[in-house]
Every structure is written in C-alpha cells, then in structure tokens.
Amino acid sequence: MAEKKSFYITTPIFYPNGKPHMGHAYSEVLADCVARYHRLIGDTTYFLTGTDENTAKIPRAAEKVGKEPKEFTDEIVSGFKSFFSDLNISYDQFIRTSDEKAHWPGAQELWRRLEAAGDIYKDTYSGLYCVGAESFVTEKDLVDGKCPDHDELPQKIEEENYFFRLSKYTDPIRKLIESNELLIVPETRKREVLLLLDEGLKDISFSRPIKEVPWGIPVPGDDTQVMYVWCDALTNYISALGFGQEGGDFNTFWPADWHVLGKDIVRFHAAIWPAMLLSAGLPLSKQLLVHGLILSNGRKMSKSLGNVLDPALFIEKYGADAVRYYLAREVSPFDDGDMTEEKFIEAYNGNLANGLGNAVARIITMARSYEVPFGEVAFLSSEEVLAGEHVAPYKKAFEAFRIDEAADYVWSEIACIDGYIAEHEPYKLAKTDMKKTHEHLIFLLKKLWEIAILLEPFLPTTALTIQTALKNGEQPDNLFPRIA
Ligand code: ME8
C-alpha cells in the first residue's frame, strides 16, 4: 500500500452574489470525491472551500434586492453552506474572505512579503475593468465592446494603484510548468497556459482606491486602498491554514496538493498565484486540476436561455447521491459536460435503479431466503480492499483526477456480479446443493461489500446503507426507486 501522507485539496471560493448553481455543485462534488478517496486510503486530508466576498458584485447584487451587503452575503453564504451539507460535501473548513479574523491577517502578511521583495510599486492604471470577471481587460478581450464571458460593458477607469511586478515571473513560472513542478492537468490546459506565457506576463494593478471599492481588505500601511479582489482571494488557500497568524496547520498542509478549479479561472491560478508565492518565498502548490463546464442542452446555462438547472431541486427530487453520481460519472472532468433532466433520469434508471440498486436487492434477497449466515461472513477492512491488486485501476484513475473512470471501475465490478449470478444461477442450484449455493452467495456478499467500500467517495450515504445491511443481514429499503 502507498505510504500514508497528508493531502490538502481546495476548490475555488465562489462569489456569493446569487444562490449556488450546478457549476458550484460540480466543483464541490469532484473535490469531495477526491477528499473522501484520500481519507479512504488513510491520508491525513484537509479539504477547503468557501466564498469570495470582497467583490464589487456584492454591493451591486445587494442593492438590486434592497439589502445591505453584509446582510445579503450572510444570507447567501448560509444558503451555500446548507446546500453543501445537503450535497454531503465533507469540507474541513469553509472560509469567507470577509472574515477579518480568519482571512485578513494572512492576506495582509502576504502583501507585506510581496512589498518586502520589492514587487509592489505605485502607478496609474488607466484602462478598462470588467466587474463581472473582476478583471482588468483590454480592447482585444472584447466582443462588440463587451466582455464576452459576462456580457457586460467594461468600466473605463483611471486611478492610482499599487501594482504587482508579475512580468518578472514569466520565465520562472514557465520553467516550473514545463518541468511539471507545477503540474497542470489536463495537458491541453497546460499548453494554453504556456501560450499565454509566450506572450509574456504584464505587471498587474493589485489594489483599488477605497473610494471606488468600499468593500475589501485594506492595503497594509495605506488605508486609502483595498486589495484587488483576486490578490485577496487567492490568498485564501494559505490564510485558511493560519498563515500570518500564530498556530494553525500551515506547516502540516502547505504546499497544497491539489487546487481544483474550472477552466474559466486557470490563468489566475497558473500565473498570478504562483508568482505571488515565488515573490513571498513560499513553496508552490503542486497541481492544478482543471475541469470543464456544465452545459445544458449543449449551451452554457443562463437565465435568459431558461436552461438553468437548480441543483437543490434535483437533490430534493432524486437524492444527493444520485446528483453526486451524475456529476462524478456521467460528466468527463476535462470536457464540458451536458446535463439535462432527461439525461439524468436515463442514467439514474440505468445505473442506479438497475445496475447498483438491483444487484444489492437481488443478492441480499437470495442470501436471506437461503439463510446464509451473514454474521459468519468475513468482510475485508477498507485497507484490505484498497490494497487489492485488482483495485489498481480505480486508484490510478483517482490519482489522475479521472473521477469518471474510477466510478466506471466500480460499475464494471457491479456488472461482474450480474455476470456471476447469470453464470452460477444460485436460485436454481438451491434446489439441489445448498452448500454450494451458500458458497456462491458468500462470494457475492463479499464482492458487494467491496463495492460498498469503493463507492464511499461517490455515494457516501448509499455506501454506508449497503455496508450496514450486509453486516446485519437486513434488506435495505429500495435504494433508488425507478423514475417513471
Ligand atoms: O471565479 N460548470 O468565482 P465564481 C462547472 N471567486 N463549473 C462551474 C460553472 C459551470 N457552468 N460555473 C462556475 C470565481 N463553476 C472566483 C474564484 S478562487 C481563488 C476565486 C465553478 O463564483 C468552477 O469551479 O465565478 C469555476 O472555476 C468557479 O465555479 C467560478 O466561480
């Protein structure tokens, strides 16, 4: 078995300017499957998620509904938290960048380090800014004068700001990425970042005047300025571990093993973040795992197209494990994935109601009716299951962020069970040879147990229900009733 180690995994921190949607559920489910897998193999795991609150989007969204920003974000954030809990997300910490105790000391300490390295200077920024992207943009980024990703007109601004000497880090970052010391997965995203680096990184405005953005973290030593939201947001990955404060888990968990993120925010994580860490003399994160986007009917989900899927409604109708199943297995992590209710129901009926649900019901029914002594069946420990040689493809898939393929492995084991039953027909054999029938059923119960262990990262509730049923020799309630 691989040596046990510590494993630190993060998701992006989301803008709480609206309620959580399927895209947020996607990042969370992928990261949660990975975190649960690492706990299963015995790693000391830390899983971080949270919200990115020092953004101009907040006062804008709050004003629309006639609320104060603080009241507005508190409500949205509590909605995010209860949604993540309904989805069974096993995060260890939920960080809010508005949290002056948990986050601000780390963000300000990092700023001081960049300054001490000579990488912060004052200059005038004159140009365009897209609040939707929270990004400085140039004319060539625009389509019909608008930011294409956010469909909004950028603001023209001219202001004196602090700048970060990002240009200085183009070559060091390129070397780290080329050598995979900073590994970007998948390869296509790595190539995309290298092309960006070929153009050379430009210094970037790293603060905004407080009179323009009254909602943010004060720049150390100059309270007329607040930090640029991405500078503050990226720091969450270390402030959450207590960087800049006494105590904390920084030394145990930093550098991060995996930052999970969507392809829309790669350049912030592959250029600005490593440059900040290099400037501050901190170890670099090890890997960026970049997933695709969830589409609906082949198009980006958007309210105006009317194809937005509300994940909370899906959980209510079909259960958290079914939603987790779809996102983990039916969507390939590196491509954009389509999700419609029709596809969801098809996958549910085929692989959860049939497939898994059916296999569990059949085996336990037979074992009970032929009085197999459940209490005498020696089930393996998780450690023993994971040490099995044939489980290698499952582990390999997880190590490569192919959550879908790790799940494929489990479903191929379910298919093996069906094949075994068809071949040995224990229900016929029971008429002539009960001893042999018991042997077959004990084999099947053990196989099912193994499947229930391997299912833990994907379907934590179902996995536990099956394990309990096997230990107690009970028939569980119908796990996944067919959807008509
Ligand atoms: O960018 N499909 O926050 P954000 C899949 N605060 N994933 C999606 C998605 C979709 N349709 N839509 C969003 C920000 N996501 C910053 C991040 S990190 C230091 C700061 C997921 O609320 C995906 O992970 O716009 C994407 O990268 C992230 O949400 C963007 O969330």
Side-chain angles (χ1 to χ4, degrees), residues 97-410:
T97 58
S98 61
D99 188 330
E100 296 183 26
K101 282 207 183 98
H103 176 62
W104 291 25
Q108 291 179 323
E109 174 59 21
L110 190 65
W111 180 283
R112 282 187 212 101
R113 294 233 190 160
L114 307 187
E115 202 170 19
D119 287 337
I120 297 284
Y121 63 94
K122 235 179 179 175
D123 204 349
T124 301
Y125 178 79
S126 155
L128 301 170
Y129 191 82
C130 169
V131 175
E134 285 291 12
S135 183
F136 300 93
V137 292
T138 58
E139 292 287 350
K140 79 171 172 39
D141 299 321
L142 307 178
V143 177
D144 296 331
K146 286 182 175 175
C147 166
D149 287 348
H150 297 87
D151 199 30
E152 65 177 64
L153 290 170
Q155 300 171 343
K156 275 205 175 87
I157 55 179
E158 178 163 339
E159 50 194 38
E160 190 168 63
N161 292 336
Y162 291 99
F163 276 66
F164 174 55
R165 233 178 267 288
L166 183 60
S167 59
K168 180 171 150 188
Y169 294 98
T170 304
D171 287 332
I173 292 175
R174 189 207 316 274
K175 286 199 187 90
L176 290 163
I177 292 176
E178 274 170 350
S179 68
N180 289 341
E181 226 171 296
L182 171 59
L183 183 62
I184 303 180
V185 179
E187 184 76 25
T188 44
R189 300 290 162 227
K190 170 176 164 178
R191 281 201 297 272
E192 206 176 280
V193 170
L194 288 172
L195 281 176
L196 189 83
L197 289 165
D198 283 345
E199 290 174 21
L201 300 172
K202 294 199 178 53
D203 288 358
I204 172 177
S205 175
F206 239 33
S207 71
R208 307 277 324 265
I210 203 160
K211 60 179 171 24
E212 299 296 332
V213 190
W215 182 254
I217 306 181
V219 164
D222 183 351
D223 51 18
T224 68
Q225 293 264 326
V226 294
M227 292 180 196
Y228 167 48
V229 61
W230 272 99
C231 157
D232 137 16
L234 289 161
T235 316
N236 92 89
Y237 301 133
I238 56 177
S239 65
L241 299 180
F243 175 76
Q245 303 194 56
E246 291 292 312
D249 288 323
F250 186 75
N251 292 331
T252 314
F253 290 109
W254 193 258
D257 294 276
W258 283 18
H259 291 311
V260 171
L261 51 134
K263 66 177 188 183
D264 52 332
I265 54 175
V266 181
R267 62 198 175 100
F268 297 96
H269 285 80
I272 302 177
W273 182 226
M276 289 169 76
L277 292 167
L278 288 174
S279 171
L282 293 172
L284 238 50
S285 326
K286 294 180 193 159
Q287 295 194 34
L288 305 182
L289 291 302
V290 187
H291 64 71
L293 300 180
I294 302 285
L295 310 174
S296 190
N297 262 335
R299 306 188 66 173
K300 194 178 165 188
M301 283 185 204
S302 93
K303 282 191 193 133
S304 52
L305 289 173
N307 62 351
V308 177
L309 300 178
D310 180 354
L313 213 63
F314 270 67
I315 295 179
E316 204 181 299
K317 276 166 87 173
Y318 308 114
D321 273 358
V323 175
R324 293 175 61 102
Y325 167 81
Y326 191 91
L327 296 175
R329 181 168 183 227
E330 302 289 332
V331 180
S332 151
F334 299 137
D335 301 319
D336 288 345
D338 210 37
M339 183 162 183
T340 58
E341 191 152 7
E342 210 179 347
K343 282 193 179 171
F344 178 91
I345 291 174
E346 197 184 311
Y348 174 106
N349 281 338
N351 298 314
L352 294 175
N354 292 340
L356 177 62
N358 196 21
V360 172
R362 272 177 93 191
I363 294 166
I364 298 184
T365 304
M366 280 191 282
R368 282 170 58 88
S369 63
Y370 304 133
E371 295 175 347
V372 172
F374 279 79
E376 290 167 27
V377 183
F379 294 122
L380 298 181
S381 68
S382 309
E383 204 164 20
E384 287 165 327
V385 171
L386 270 297
E389 245 172 65
H390 62 285
V391 179
Y394 170 90
K395 290 160 87 174
K396 203 168 154 223
F398 262 117
E399 303 296 336
F401 197 56
R402 289 308 305 237
I403 321 289
D404 56 338
E405 289 176 1
D408 286 346
Y409 174 83
V410 183

